[in-house]
Amino acid sequence: DVLDPERLIQCPLVKHHRIRARRFPYHLVKCKESNPEIAKKLATCPFNARHLVPWADLSNHIMKCNDKAFMEQDGVSQYCDPPQEQVNDGSTWQAPPCDEDWE
């Protein structure tokens, strides 16, 4: 958590686990490995991997997720920025012959 890395967060897998926000991502990885049966019952939010919710609640969570707004803003800014040149190494396109003489 950027606002308070020392804040305690409840683990979504094992409810009696309370973890500091700065350690939470690491805890999730270890806790999933230690509790595979519980982890199978939880889905990961597409907007924030720290959000684990029951599969049945995933669509509801996606509609209400606070991090969805950040992702949508990033998507909009990508479309507003001018496109970057892309090089296609497998292209067969060739420049047309030029009849201009600059000399």
Side-chain angles (χ1 to χ4, degrees):
D1 191 342
V2 177
L3 300 177
D4 183 7
E6 297 301 315
R7 182 172 64 98
L8 290 175
I9 300 174
Q10 182 180 26
C11 174
L13 290 123
V14 180
K15 299 299 181 189
H16 68 269
H17 288 177
R18 309 245 325 136
I19 307 95
R20 301 223 180 271
R22 63 185 164 85
R23 297 291 308 157
F24 193 68
Y26 307 104
H27 174 81
L28 280 180
V29 171
K30 292 290 187 180
C31 204
K32 282 183 185 180
E33 290 173 359
S34 299
N35 301 287
E37 291 302 314
I38 298 172
K40 286 180 194 176
K41 297 176 185 177
L42 299 176
T44 303
C45 170
F47 304 115
N48 187 335
R50 296 177 183 185
H51 298 169
L52 298 178
V53 295
W55 281 99
D57 299 338
L58 181 61
S59 59
N60 187 39
H61 173 83
I62 288 172
M63 290 189 313
K64 296 179 179 179
C65 182
N66 292 334
D67 294 322
K68 181 179 179 179
F70 295 117
M71 295 298 287
E72 288 174 346
Q73 286 175 350
D74 287 346
V76 169
S77 67
Q78 286 176 353
Y79 292 111
C80 293
D81 292 340
Q84 301 293 320
E85 282 189 34
Q86 294 181 353
V87 177
N88 184 357
D89 294 337
S91 175
T92 58
W93 181 85
Q94 294 180 353
C98 182
D99 295 333
E100 294 181 12
D101 183 12
W102 289 65
E103 296 294 325

